[in-house]
Amino acid sequence: MHKLIILLAATVFSVFSYQNANAQSNKSSTVTVQDVKQQTLKMELDGKTFTILLENNVTAKALLQTLPFSISASVYHNNHYYAVTPKSLPINGLKPTKDATKGGIYYSAEYKGLGIFFEGGHFDNNELFYIGKIKEDISSIDGSKNALVIKFEK
């Protein structure tokens, strides 16, 4: 009888130990939706609203901290609107590019501003830092308007 009680106690202990270890394992591997959700912001340009899908980088996060704001923009190189941001944004750890894609949003640390590209382009003398892209079709952006106000908000 004494051996049966010891065997029963050992079995119960083993079951509880396994359940506790399994619960701890499941808890550490859980990923919340917040961890993978992509940050966005709204941009109003020439009366049209666009969604910008932001990269997960220090510059995009700093841009979010400055919202909301409105800035004056002008067309540069016949392929993008350029506007100085309310404050300089950090670029730590970002790899610069000299090629911009249509629909891309880039930050220029040298000129402390955003480039909103309605056409792609290559820039030999400037370093651009990619921070996001416009989600919608951008064919409605009128690149012939030289000066306008762009509004950014969450």
Side-chain angles (χ1 to χ4, degrees):
M1 180 76 162
H2 190 262
K3 289 182 182 179
L4 183 60
I5 292 173
I6 292 174
L7 182 61
L8 183 60
T11 304
V12 169
F13 178 76
S14 296
V15 168
F16 283 122
S17 296
Y18 173 77
Q19 287 177 340
N20 189 33
N22 196 26
Q24 292 297 325
S25 173
N26 286 343
K27 190 182 290 183
S28 66
S29 64
T30 302
V31 177
T32 63
V33 173
Q34 185 177 1
D35 293 337
V36 296
K37 181 181 176 194
Q38 183 170 27
Q39 292 285 333
T40 62
L41 64 90
K42 297 288 181 191
M43 174 182 74
E44 185 179 314
L45 186 146
D46 197 25
K48 298 170 187 78
T49 301
F50 299 93
T51 302
I52 298 175
L53 305 173
L54 294 171
E55 288 292 297
N56 184 19
N57 64 39
V58 66
T59 309
K61 289 175 184 175
L63 180 65
L64 282 171
Q65 297 301 311
T66 65
L67 299 177
F69 64 87
S70 294
I71 50 179
S72 296
S74 298
V75 173
Y76 281 82
H77 303 288
N78 295 318
N79 66 355
H80 71 284
Y81 280 102
Y82 173 77
V84 176
T85 53
K87 67 178 195 172
S88 296
L89 303 176
I91 56 169
N92 312 36
L94 293 183
K95 182 181 174 187
T97 182
K98 294 190 179 289
D99 296 302
T101 58
K102 181 178 181 176
I105 307 295
Y106 295 83
Y107 179 71
S108 167
E110 180 181 1
Y111 296 107
K112 297 175 179 53
L114 296 175
I116 298 115
F117 284 81
F118 50 84
E119 295 293 337
H122 177 79
F123 300 88
D124 286 327
N125 298 321
N126 299 14
E127 288 187 338
L128 303 172
F129 298 90
Y130 180 73
I131 60 171
K133 66 181 177 181
I134 299 171
K135 179 181 176 182
E136 294 83 10
D137 176 22
I138 61 167
S139 60
S140 63
I141 294 178
D142 183 0
S144 68
K145 294 187 177 180
N146 193 30
L148 48 87
V149 173
I150 302 175
K151 181 179 177 182
F152 294 91
E153 60 188 26
K154 286 187 181 181

